[in-house]
Amino acid sequence: MKNRSWGFLVGGLLVALLLAGVVSNYASSHPDGLDSSLLKGCTVDADDNIVGGSCPAQRSREHELADSPLADYAVRGVDNGFLSTGLSGVLGVLLTFAIGAGGFWLLRRRGSTGGTDDAEATPVAGDAGDRRHAGAAG
């Protein structure tokens, strides 16, 4: 890979880590479109608990992975909310990057096995290898 490509890749990774680790803490805490549409018809208190009415959110249940280490955009066991959210974002970016890089590496290895690459398989006209083969045949 060219140095310029590595620079672009590292720069993109650093920007993603900065956004996930710092800027994500300043995201809105208000419900997004899906959450707010599920609460239509219900009365909600300041802690987002349903206190009256009827809405689809009343039938919600806890997710199966609610006890996982990175549930709710936080790291379990870290008491500082700012640090917990930032660390969760950084770990998510690194995990996603590692999976993507591993996938590209596997695809690249898979594509190069089983023979020679195109540069060796197809000699270019006027190439020294091309003249050598032409002289040997004649």
Side-chain angles (χ1 to χ4, degrees):
M1 190 182 285
K2 296 179 185 176
N3 286 339
R4 190 171 172 175
S5 298
W6 279 110
F8 181 75
L9 188 65
V10 169
L13 181 61
L14 289 175
V15 168
L17 289 170
L18 178 69
L19 290 172
V22 178
V23 179
S24 64
N25 282 292
Y26 299 104
S28 175
S29 61
H30 296 294
D32 63 4
L34 178 60
D35 289 337
S36 63
S37 67
L38 291 175
L39 290 172
K40 287 194 188 233
C42 284
T43 306
V44 182
D45 66 5
D47 295 325
D48 291 330
N49 296 320
I50 299 171
V51 293
S54 176
C55 63
Q58 290 172 318
R59 294 185 294 279
S60 69
R61 57 182 173 79
E62 197 65 36
H63 192 272
E64 290 112 15
L65 299 176
D67 292 332
S68 67
L70 298 176
D72 290 331
Y73 304 106
V75 176
R76 188 175 24 167
V78 178
D79 293 331
N80 182 332
F82 190 88
L83 180 63
S84 181
T85 300
L87 189 57
S88 174
V90 167
L91 290 173
V93 166
L94 291 175
L95 182 64
T96 302
F97 181 78
I99 290 170
F104 280 114
W105 180 77
L106 285 173
L107 287 173
R108 185 172 178 212
R109 273 186 65 94
R110 183 175 174 211
S112 66
T113 59
T116 60
D117 62 6
D118 291 337
E120 292 177 8
T122 309
V124 178
D127 188 13
D130 189 34
R131 284 180 290 213
R132 186 173 0 114
H133 292 298

